[in-house]
Amino acid sequence: MFQMTNQEVAILRSQFATSRSDALRLAWGGRRYPPYAFTEHGALMAGMVLNSTRATEVSVYVVRAFVELRDTVVAHKELAKRLDELESRLERKLSTHDQAIAGILDAIRQLMLPPEPAKKRSIGFVRGD
């Protein structure tokens, strides 16, 4: 078991919409100190110490919650890894597409230039010197 930091309490407060300021704590009966939290092993140990059917049920529930949390964290890591791979692959494709598009635009610009005037020949017989 450990006591949460003020930053952790602030994160919980924003997620669960609890009292928002220190001034309201005393007036509305909010927490005067950071709460304590159990780690996975601490929750199991507390469940083993308490010897009742209700404690056993709660301990099983807590273990399932921690297993679910661990699976969620692993899934998010895998998802983040796959997202990074997809992003890098997409960037590589876009860079080659950008180069191809730039080449097409250059070719179009070359075609838009007016043709160079051709050298005009004079009409009639011209004698070479």
Side-chain angles (χ1 to χ4, degrees), residues 101-113:
I101 290 171
I104 292 170
L105 290 175
D106 285 341
I108 291 172
R109 283 192 185 103
Q110 291 296 323
L111 291 173
M112 289 174 57
L113 292 175

Side-chain angles (χ1 to χ4, degrees), residues 65-78:
F66 274 108
V67 168
E68 184 83 19
L69 179 66
R70 189 179 304 123
D71 290 344
T72 303
V73 168
V74 169
H76 283 293
K77 285 182 182 177
E78 180 66 26

Side-chain angles (χ1 to χ4, degrees), residues 29-100:
R31 290 197 173 272
R32 288 174 176 74
Y33 56 88
Y36 287 91
F38 282 98
T39 62
E40 180 181 1
H41 297 290
L44 286 173
M45 291 172 64
M48 297 300 271
V49 170
L50 303 173
N51 195 9
S52 71
T53 56
R54 180 73 175 148
T56 305
E57 290 172 9
V58 170
S59 134
V60 169
Y61 178 76
V62 167
V63 169
R64 286 181 182 162
F66 274 108
V67 168
E68 184 83 19
L69 179 66
R70 189 179 304 123
D71 290 344
T72 303
V73 168
V74 169
H76 283 293
K77 285 182 182 177
E78 180 66 26
L79 181 62
K81 179 182 171 188
R82 291 183 67 191
L83 188 61
D84 289 341
E85 290 172 359
L86 179 65
E87 186 179 18
S88 65
R89 197 169 49 189
L90 186 62
E91 284 177 1
R92 284 193 305 264
K93 281 187 177 182
L94 286 178
S95 68
T96 58
H97 288 298
D98 287 346
Q99 292 170 355

